[in-house]
Amino acid sequence: MVPGGLWLGSPTMSTPTPRAARKAVIPVAGMGTRFLPATKAVPKELLPVVDRPALQYIVEEAARAGLAEVLMVTGRNKAAIEDFFDRTPELETALEKKGDAGRLAAVQESTDVAQVHFVRQGEARGLGHAVLQAAAFVGDEPFAVLLGDDLIDARDHLLEQMLAVQAEHGGSVIALLDVGRENIDKYGAVAIQEDTQQGVVTITGLVEKPPVDEAPSSLAIIGRYVLAPEVFAVLRETAPGRGGEIQLTDALATLVERGHPLHGVVFDGRRYDTGDKLDYLKAVIRLASEREDLGPALRSWLTEFVADLPAEGASQA
């Protein structure tokens, strides 16, 4: 149950405040090098997942969770993102004249789903630096950060659960996924103290991409955060870390050291990683196969396609 008040305060002490998170921040300044050459001209966040950009799924997720104001932290060559969330009167008029109500609604949906704002990061100095650009937009309220490479299935209410945990416990909340110890060196990892609430843990330490044999656990940080505004002051004093970038993980570790409450929600639902080529293809197939308009025909074709594949090694016979 979520109490009526929200607990926030100094890094060493929580004090009550009636404010709840109302805003979301989505960093989109990355260069998308893993998807070159496509991303020479198209921001990776606008690559289609079936028939909508990955970024639209993220904004819709924030809106479903009640976060109606969204700030996108962009960079150079990302003007197409602003265009996508802007009105297109000529296109809308043409569709309206054709009587194409379905496509007209789809075009307008991206503009109507939330109030979207933009700010430039200026220089690529890491996720922590990108989040810091949102300080004026956020003010002194808790806020969510959603990373565009992680799509969370709309049927799994991860962000809503994180907001509820933050309202109950105060401090900050991050999403965690058990990736197995053999994979933890690709992620930020956490040390935890088990809590009595199922699926929620107290975090006692964080480290960015540790060696496998030094990782505190197999629980990885994935791209959903609900942060208290105290994080901004810490980010301003956080020195560049791994990769020469200002790491959000390092700032959160500092907050934990200062007594700031930090909880993790362990996610076991449906997550699609659109930042990796193979996982991107899997996401497209999974989401398309579940659609009423595409699923039956796609599943039938996939069955035939797999059946027609040559047996392993047959091509070398």
Short mmCIF file of all heavy atoms in Angstrom, two decimals, residues 259-310:
data_model
loop_
_atom_site.label_atom_id
_atom_site.label_comp_id
_atom_site.label_asym_id
_atom_site.label_seq_id
_atom_site.Cartn_x
_atom_site.Cartn_y
_atom_site.Cartn_z
N GLY A 259 24.15 7.65 3.52
CA GLY A 259 22.95 7.26 4.25
C GLY A 259 21.65 7.48 3.50
O GLY A 259 20.57 7.34 4.07
N HIS A 260 21.73 7.82 2.23
CA HIS A 260 20.52 8.03 1.42
C HIS A 260 19.86 6.69 1.14
O HIS A 260 20.51 5.75 0.69
CB HIS A 260 20.93 8.70 0.11
CG HIS A 260 19.80 8.98 -0.82
ND1 HIS A 260 19.06 10.14 -0.78
CD2 HIS A 260 19.28 8.25 -1.84
CE1 HIS A 260 18.15 10.12 -1.74
NE2 HIS A 260 18.26 8.98 -2.39
N PRO A 261 18.55 6.56 1.40
CA PRO A 261 17.88 5.28 1.12
C PRO A 261 17.88 4.96 -0.37
O PRO A 261 17.51 5.80 -1.19
CB PRO A 261 16.44 5.51 1.63
CG PRO A 261 16.51 6.73 2.50
CD PRO A 261 17.63 7.56 1.97
N LEU A 262 18.29 3.75 -0.70
CA LEU A 262 18.27 3.29 -2.09
C LEU A 262 17.73 1.87 -2.12
O LEU A 262 18.30 0.97 -1.49
CB LEU A 262 19.66 3.35 -2.71
CG LEU A 262 19.75 2.89 -4.18
CD1 LEU A 262 18.92 3.78 -5.09
CD2 LEU A 262 21.21 2.86 -4.64
N HIS A 263 16.63 1.69 -2.83
CA HIS A 263 16.01 0.37 -2.96
C HIS A 263 16.05 -0.09 -4.41
O HIS A 263 16.16 0.72 -5.33
CB HIS A 263 14.56 0.39 -2.46
CG HIS A 263 14.43 0.53 -0.98
ND1 HIS A 263 14.51 1.76 -0.33
CD2 HIS A 263 14.27 -0.40 -0.01
CE1 HIS A 263 14.37 1.56 0.97
NE2 HIS A 263 14.24 0.27 1.20
N GLY A 264 15.98 -1.39 -4.58
CA GLY A 264 15.92 -1.96 -5.91
C GLY A 264 14.69 -2.82 -6.08
O GLY A 264 14.29 -3.53 -5.15
N VAL A 265 14.06 -2.73 -7.24
CA VAL A 265 12.95 -3.60 -7.59
C VAL A 265 13.49 -4.65 -8.56
O VAL A 265 13.99 -4.30 -9.65
CB VAL A 265 11.80 -2.82 -8.24
CG1 VAL A 265 10.72 -3.77 -8.76
CG2 VAL A 265 11.20 -1.84 -7.23
N VAL A 266 13.45 -5.91 -8.17
CA VAL A 266 13.97 -6.99 -9.00
C VAL A 266 12.91 -7.38 -10.02
O VAL A 266 11.82 -7.84 -9.67
CB VAL A 266 14.37 -8.20 -8.14
CG1 VAL A 266 14.96 -9.30 -9.02
CG2 VAL A 266 15.38 -7.79 -7.06
N PHE A 267 13.24 -7.18 -11.28
CA PHE A 267 12.28 -7.35 -12.37
C PHE A 267 12.40 -8.75 -12.95
O PHE A 267 13.50 -9.22 -13.25
CB PHE A 267 12.54 -6.31 -13.46
CG PHE A 267 11.57 -6.34 -14.60
CD1 PHE A 267 10.21 -6.15 -14.38
CD2 PHE A 267 12.00 -6.56 -15.90
CE1 PHE A 267 9.30 -6.17 -15.43
CE2 PHE A 267 11.11 -6.57 -16.95
CZ PHE A 267 9.76 -6.37 -16.72
N ASP A 268 11.26 -9.42 -13.14
CA ASP A 268 11.27 -10.75 -13.76
C ASP A 268 10.25 -10.84 -14.89
O ASP A 268 9.80 -11.92 -15.26
CB ASP A 268 10.99 -11.84 -12.71
CG ASP A 268 9.63 -11.68 -12.04
OD1 ASP A 268 8.91 -10.70 -12.36
OD2 ASP A 268 9.29 -12.52 -11.20
N GLY A 269 9.91 -9.67 -15.47
CA GLY A 269 8.92 -9.64 -16.53
C GLY A 269 9.56 -9.62 -17.91
O GLY A 269 10.69 -10.08 -18.12
N ARG A 270 8.83 -9.04 -18.86
CA ARG A 270 9.25 -9.03 -20.26
C ARG A 270 10.00 -7.74 -20.59
O ARG A 270 9.44 -6.66 -20.49
CB ARG A 270 8.02 -9.18 -21.17
CG ARG A 270 7.41 -10.56 -21.13
CD ARG A 270 5.93 -10.55 -21.44
NE ARG A 270 5.16 -10.00 -20.34
CZ ARG A 270 3.87 -10.29 -20.11
NH1 ARG A 270 3.23 -11.12 -20.91
NH2 ARG A 270 3.23 -9.73 -19.09
N ARG A 271 11.25 -7.89 -20.97
CA ARG A 271 12.12 -6.76 -21.29
C ARG A 271 12.76 -7.00 -22.65
O ARG A 271 13.20 -8.11 -22.94
CB ARG A 271 13.20 -6.60 -20.22
CG ARG A 271 14.35 -5.65 -20.58
CD ARG A 271 15.38 -5.63 -19.46
NE ARG A 271 16.56 -4.85 -19.80
CZ ARG A 271 17.71 -5.36 -20.20
NH1 ARG A 271 17.84 -6.68 -20.31
NH2 ARG A 271 18.74 -4.60 -20.49
N TYR A 272 12.81 -5.96 -23.46
CA TYR A 272 13.39 -6.08 -24.79
C TYR A 272 14.54 -5.09 -24.91
O TYR A 272 14.36 -3.89 -24.70
CB TYR A 272 12.33 -5.81 -25.87
CG TYR A 272 11.03 -6.54 -25.64
CD1 TYR A 272 9.89 -5.85 -25.25
CD2 TYR A 272 10.96 -7.93 -25.78
CE1 TYR A 272 8.69 -6.53 -25.02
CE2 TYR A 272 9.77 -8.61 -25.55
CZ TYR A 272 8.64 -7.91 -25.17
OH TYR A 272 7.47 -8.58 -24.94
N ASP A 273 15.71 -5.58 -25.24
CA ASP A 273 16.90 -4.73 -25.37
C ASP A 273 17.05 -4.33 -26.83
O ASP A 273 17.41 -5.15 -27.67
CB ASP A 273 18.13 -5.50 -24.89
CG ASP A 273 19.40 -4.67 -24.96
OD1 ASP A 273 19.33 -3.49 -25.39
OD2 ASP A 273 20.47 -5.19 -24.60
N THR A 274 16.76 -3.07 -27.14
CA THR A 274 16.86 -2.61 -28.52
C THR A 274 18.21 -1.96 -28.81
O THR A 274 18.41 -1.39 -29.87
CB THR A 274 15.73 -1.60 -28.84
OG1 THR A 274 15.84 -0.47 -27.97
CG2 THR A 274 14.37 -2.25 -28.69
N GLY A 275 19.14 -2.06 -27.89
CA GLY A 275 20.47 -1.50 -28.09
C GLY A 275 21.45 -2.49 -28.68
O GLY A 275 22.59 -2.15 -28.98
N ASP A 276 21.02 -3.74 -28.86
CA ASP A 276 21.85 -4.80 -29.42
C ASP A 276 21.15 -5.33 -30.67
O ASP A 276 19.93 -5.52 -30.69
CB ASP A 276 22.01 -5.92 -28.38
CG ASP A 276 22.72 -7.13 -28.93
OD1 ASP A 276 23.95 -7.13 -28.97
OD2 ASP A 276 22.02 -8.09 -29.35
N LYS A 277 21.90 -5.58 -31.74
CA LYS A 277 21.29 -5.94 -33.01
C LYS A 277 20.43 -7.20 -32.91
O LYS A 277 19.28 -7.22 -33.38
CB LYS A 277 22.36 -6.13 -34.08
CG LYS A 277 23.06 -4.85 -34.50
CD LYS A 277 24.14 -5.14 -35.54
CE LYS A 277 24.89 -3.87 -35.91
NZ LYS A 277 25.99 -4.14 -36.88
N LEU A 278 20.96 -8.25 -32.30
CA LEU A 278 20.21 -9.49 -32.21
C LEU A 278 18.99 -9.32 -31.33
O LEU A 278 17.88 -9.75 -31.68
CB LEU A 278 21.10 -10.62 -31.69
CG LEU A 278 20.41 -11.99 -31.52
CD1 LEU A 278 19.82 -12.48 -32.84
CD2 LEU A 278 21.40 -13.01 -30.95
N ASP A 279 19.16 -8.68 -30.19
CA ASP A 279 18.02 -8.48 -29.28
C ASP A 279 16.99 -7.54 -29.90
O ASP A 279 15.79 -7.66 -29.64
CB ASP A 279 18.50 -7.93 -27.94
CG ASP A 279 19.17 -9.01 -27.09
OD1 ASP A 279 18.89 -10.19 -27.32
OD2 ASP A 279 19.99 -8.66 -26.22
N TYR A 280 17.46 -6.58 -30.70
CA TYR A 280 16.53 -5.70 -31.42
C TYR A 280 15.64 -6.52 -32.35
O TYR A 280 14.41 -6.34 -32.38
CB TYR A 280 17.33 -4.66 -32.19
CG TYR A 280 16.51 -3.83 -33.17
CD1 TYR A 280 15.78 -2.74 -32.73
CD2 TYR A 280 16.48 -4.15 -34.53
CE1 TYR A 280 15.03 -1.97 -33.62
CE2 TYR A 280 15.74 -3.39 -35.42
CZ TYR A 280 15.02 -2.31 -34.97
OH TYR A 280 14.27 -1.57 -35.85
N LEU A 281 16.23 -7.43 -33.10
CA LEU A 281 15.46 -8.29 -34.00
C LEU A 281 14.48 -9.16 -33.22
O LEU A 281 13.32 -9.35 -33.63
CB LEU A 281 16.39 -9.15 -34.85
CG LEU A 281 17.26 -8.40 -35.86
CD1 LEU A 281 18.27 -9.35 -36.50
CD2 LEU A 281 16.40 -7.75 -36.93
N LYS A 282 14.93 -9.68 -32.09
CA LYS A 282 14.03 -10.49 -31.25
C LYS A 282 12.85 -9.66 -30.77
O LYS A 282 11.71 -10.15 -30.73
CB LYS A 282 14.80 -11.04 -30.05
CG LYS A 282 15.82 -12.11 -30.40
CD LYS A 282 16.55 -12.56 -29.14
CE LYS A 282 17.61 -13.60 -29.43
NZ LYS A 282 18.34 -14.01 -28.20
N ALA A 283 13.11 -8.41 -30.39
CA ALA A 283 12.03 -7.54 -29.91
C ALA A 283 11.00 -7.31 -30.99
O ALA A 283 9.79 -7.37 -30.75
CB ALA A 283 12.61 -6.21 -29.42
N VAL A 284 11.46 -7.03 -32.21
CA VAL A 284 10.53 -6.81 -33.31
C VAL A 284 9.67 -8.04 -33.55
O VAL A 284 8.44 -7.95 -33.68
CB VAL A 284 11.30 -6.43 -34.59
CG1 VAL A 284 10.36 -6.37 -35.79
CG2 VAL A 284 12.01 -5.09 -34.42
N ILE A 285 10.29 -9.21 -33.58
CA ILE A 285 9.55 -10.44 -33.85
C ILE A 285 8.58 -10.75 -32.73
O ILE A 285 7.41 -11.10 -32.97
CB ILE A 285 10.53 -11.61 -34.06
CG1 ILE A 285 11.31 -11.40 -35.36
CG2 ILE A 285 9.79 -12.94 -34.10
CD1 ILE A 285 12.47 -12.35 -35.55
N ARG A 286 9.02 -10.60 -31.48
CA ARG A 286 8.14 -10.92 -30.35
C ARG A 286 6.93 -10.00 -30.31
O ARG A 286 5.79 -10.46 -30.14
CB ARG A 286 8.92 -10.82 -29.04
CG ARG A 286 9.88 -11.96 -28.82
CD ARG A 286 10.72 -11.72 -27.58
NE ARG A 286 11.61 -12.83 -27.31
CZ ARG A 286 12.60 -12.83 -26.41
NH1 ARG A 286 12.79 -11.72 -25.70
NH2 ARG A 286 13.36 -13.87 -26.24
N LEU A 287 7.16 -8.72 -30.47
CA LEU A 287 6.05 -7.77 -30.39
C LEU A 287 5.12 -7.91 -31.59
O LEU A 287 3.89 -7.85 -31.44
CB LEU A 287 6.59 -6.35 -30.29
CG LEU A 287 7.28 -6.02 -28.96
CD1 LEU A 287 7.97 -4.67 -29.02
CD2 LEU A 287 6.28 -6.04 -27.81
N ALA A 288 5.68 -8.12 -32.77
CA ALA A 288 4.84 -8.27 -33.96
C ALA A 288 4.03 -9.56 -33.89
O ALA A 288 2.87 -9.60 -34.30
CB ALA A 288 5.70 -8.26 -35.23
N SER A 289 4.62 -10.62 -33.36
CA SER A 289 3.92 -11.91 -33.32
C SER A 289 2.73 -11.91 -32.38
O SER A 289 1.85 -12.77 -32.47
CB SER A 289 4.90 -13.03 -32.92
OG SER A 289 5.32 -12.86 -31.57
N GLU A 290 2.70 -10.94 -31.46
CA GLU A 290 1.59 -10.86 -30.51
C GLU A 290 0.48 -9.91 -30.95
O GLU A 290 -0.55 -9.82 -30.29
CB GLU A 290 2.12 -10.44 -29.14
CG GLU A 290 3.05 -11.46 -28.50
CD GLU A 290 3.56 -11.02 -27.14
OE1 GLU A 290 3.25 -9.88 -26.74
OE2 GLU A 290 4.26 -11.81 -26.49
N ARG A 291 0.68 -9.21 -32.06
CA ARG A 291 -0.33 -8.28 -32.54
C ARG A 291 -1.43 -9.01 -33.29
O ARG A 291 -1.17 -9.95 -34.04
CB ARG A 291 0.31 -7.22 -33.45
CG ARG A 291 1.21 -6.30 -32.66
CD ARG A 291 1.36 -4.94 -33.14
NE ARG A 291 0.79 -4.53 -34.38
CZ ARG A 291 1.12 -3.38 -34.99
NH1 ARG A 291 2.04 -2.60 -34.42
NH2 ARG A 291 0.56 -3.01 -36.10
N GLU A 292 -2.66 -8.54 -33.10
CA GLU A 292 -3.78 -9.18 -33.76
C GLU A 292 -3.70 -9.05 -35.28
O GLU A 292 -4.08 -9.96 -36.01
CB GLU A 292 -5.11 -8.59 -33.26
CG GLU A 292 -5.40 -8.90 -31.80
CD GLU A 292 -6.72 -8.34 -31.36
OE1 GLU A 292 -7.43 -7.76 -32.21
OE2 GLU A 292 -7.07 -8.49 -30.17
N ASP A 293 -3.19 -7.90 -35.76
CA ASP A 293 -3.17 -7.67 -37.20
C ASP A 293 -2.00 -8.34 -37.90
O ASP A 293 -2.04 -8.59 -39.11
CB ASP A 293 -3.15 -6.16 -37.50
CG ASP A 293 -1.96 -5.45 -36.88
OD1 ASP A 293 -1.41 -5.97 -35.88
OD2 ASP A 293 -1.57 -4.38 -37.38
N LEU A 294 -0.93 -8.65 -37.17
CA LEU A 294 0.26 -9.23 -37.78
C LEU A 294 0.59 -10.62 -37.26
O LEU A 294 1.19 -11.42 -38.00
CB LEU A 294 1.47 -8.32 -37.50
CG LEU A 294 1.42 -6.90 -38.04
CD1 LEU A 294 2.60 -6.10 -37.53
CD2 LEU A 294 1.40 -6.90 -39.56
N GLY A 295 0.21 -10.90 -36.03
CA GLY A 295 0.64 -12.12 -35.36
C GLY A 295 0.33 -13.42 -36.08
O GLY A 295 1.23 -14.24 -36.31
N PRO A 296 -0.93 -13.69 -36.44
CA PRO A 296 -1.24 -14.98 -37.06
C PRO A 296 -0.42 -15.27 -38.31
O PRO A 296 0.16 -16.36 -38.46
CB PRO A 296 -2.74 -14.86 -37.37
CG PRO A 296 -3.25 -13.89 -36.35
CD PRO A 296 -2.14 -12.90 -36.18
N ALA A 297 -0.35 -14.31 -39.22
CA ALA A 297 0.40 -14.52 -40.46
C ALA A 297 1.90 -14.65 -40.18
O ALA A 297 2.59 -15.48 -40.80
CB ALA A 297 0.14 -13.38 -41.43
N LEU A 298 2.43 -13.83 -39.25
CA LEU A 298 3.85 -13.90 -38.94
C LEU A 298 4.22 -15.22 -38.29
O LEU A 298 5.23 -15.84 -38.65
CB LEU A 298 4.24 -12.73 -38.03
CG LEU A 298 5.71 -12.69 -37.58
CD1 LEU A 298 6.65 -12.61 -38.77
CD2 LEU A 298 5.95 -11.53 -36.63
N ARG A 299 3.42 -15.67 -37.33
CA ARG A 299 3.72 -16.94 -36.66
C ARG A 299 3.68 -18.11 -37.64
O ARG A 299 4.50 -19.02 -37.58
CB ARG A 299 2.75 -17.17 -35.50
CG ARG A 299 2.95 -16.20 -34.34
CD ARG A 299 2.19 -16.67 -33.10
NE ARG A 299 0.75 -16.72 -33.34
CZ ARG A 299 -0.08 -15.70 -33.11
NH1 ARG A 299 0.41 -14.55 -32.65
NH2 ARG A 299 -1.37 -15.82 -33.34
N SER A 300 2.72 -18.07 -38.55
CA SER A 300 2.63 -19.12 -39.57
C SER A 300 3.88 -19.12 -40.45
O SER A 300 4.46 -20.18 -40.74
CB SER A 300 1.37 -18.91 -40.41
OG SER A 300 1.30 -19.86 -41.46
N TRP A 301 4.30 -17.94 -40.88
CA TRP A 301 5.49 -17.84 -41.72
C TRP A 301 6.73 -18.30 -40.96
O TRP A 301 7.59 -19.00 -41.52
CB TRP A 301 5.67 -16.41 -42.21
CG TRP A 301 6.92 -16.25 -43.02
CD1 TRP A 301 7.10 -16.54 -44.34
CD2 TRP A 301 8.20 -15.81 -42.54
NE1 TRP A 301 8.39 -16.30 -44.72
CE2 TRP A 301 9.09 -15.85 -43.64
CE3 TRP A 301 8.66 -15.38 -41.30
CZ2 TRP A 301 10.43 -15.48 -43.52
CZ3 TRP A 301 9.99 -15.00 -41.18
CH2 TRP A 301 10.85 -15.05 -42.28
N LEU A 302 6.85 -17.91 -39.70
CA LEU A 302 8.01 -18.32 -38.91
C LEU A 302 8.09 -19.83 -38.78
O LEU A 302 9.18 -20.42 -38.86
CB LEU A 302 7.96 -17.67 -37.52
CG LEU A 302 8.31 -16.18 -37.44
CD1 LEU A 302 7.99 -15.64 -36.05
CD2 LEU A 302 9.78 -15.95 -37.77
N THR A 303 6.94 -20.46 -38.58
CA THR A 303 6.92 -21.92 -38.48
C THR A 303 7.42 -22.56 -39.77
O THR A 303 8.25 -23.49 -39.75
CB THR A 303 5.49 -22.40 -38.18
OG1 THR A 303 5.05 -21.83 -36.94
CG2 THR A 303 5.45 -23.92 -38.05
N GLU A 304 6.95 -22.05 -40.89
CA GLU A 304 7.40 -22.57 -42.18
C GLU A 304 8.88 -22.28 -42.42
O GLU A 304 9.62 -23.13 -42.91
CB GLU A 304 6.57 -21.95 -43.31
CG GLU A 304 5.09 -22.32 -43.28
CD GLU A 304 4.29 -21.56 -44.32
OE1 GLU A 304 4.93 -20.83 -45.14
OE2 GLU A 304 3.06 -21.68 -44.34
N PHE A 305 9.29 -21.08 -42.05
CA PHE A 305 10.68 -20.69 -42.26
C PHE A 305 11.62 -21.59 -41.48
O PHE A 305 12.63 -22.09 -42.01
CB PHE A 305 10.87 -19.23 -41.84
CG PHE A 305 12.29 -18.75 -41.90
CD1 PHE A 305 12.89 -18.47 -43.12
CD2 PHE A 305 13.04 -18.58 -40.74
CE1 PHE A 305 14.21 -18.03 -43.18
CE2 PHE A 305 14.36 -18.15 -40.80
CZ PHE A 305 14.95 -17.87 -42.03
N VAL A 306 11.30 -21.84 -40.21
CA VAL A 306 12.16 -22.68 -39.38
C VAL A 306 12.16 -24.11 -39.89
O VAL A 306 13.21 -24.79 -39.93
CB VAL A 306 11.70 -22.62 -37.90
CG1 VAL A 306 12.46 -23.64 -37.05
CG2 VAL A 306 11.91 -21.21 -37.34
N ALA A 307 10.99 -24.58 -40.32
CA ALA A 307 10.91 -25.96 -40.84
C ALA A 307 11.74 -26.14 -42.10
O ALA A 307 12.27 -27.23 -42.37
CB ALA A 307 9.45 -26.31 -41.12
N ASP A 308 11.89 -25.09 -42.90
CA ASP A 308 12.63 -25.17 -44.16
C ASP A 308 14.12 -24.96 -43.99
O ASP A 308 14.88 -25.13 -44.96
CB ASP A 308 12.09 -24.12 -45.14
CG ASP A 308 10.70 -24.48 -45.66
OD1 ASP A 308 10.32 -25.66 -45.53
OD2 ASP A 308 10.01 -23.57 -46.16
N LEU A 309 14.56 -24.57 -42.80
CA LEU A 309 15.98 -24.37 -42.60
C LEU A 309 16.71 -25.70 -42.75
O LEU A 309 16.24 -26.74 -42.28
CB LEU A 309 16.25 -23.79 -41.20
CG LEU A 309 15.89 -22.32 -40.97
CD1 LEU A 309 16.10 -21.96 -39.50
CD2 LEU A 309 16.73 -21.41 -41.86
N PRO A 310 17.88 -25.70 -43.36
CA PRO A 310 18.64 -26.95 -43.49
C PRO A 310 19.10 -27.44 -42.12
O PRO A 310 19.35 -26.64 -41.20
CB PRO A 310 19.83 -26.55 -44.37
CG PRO A 310 19.97 -25.08 -44.18
CD PRO A 310 18.56 -24.56 -43.97
#
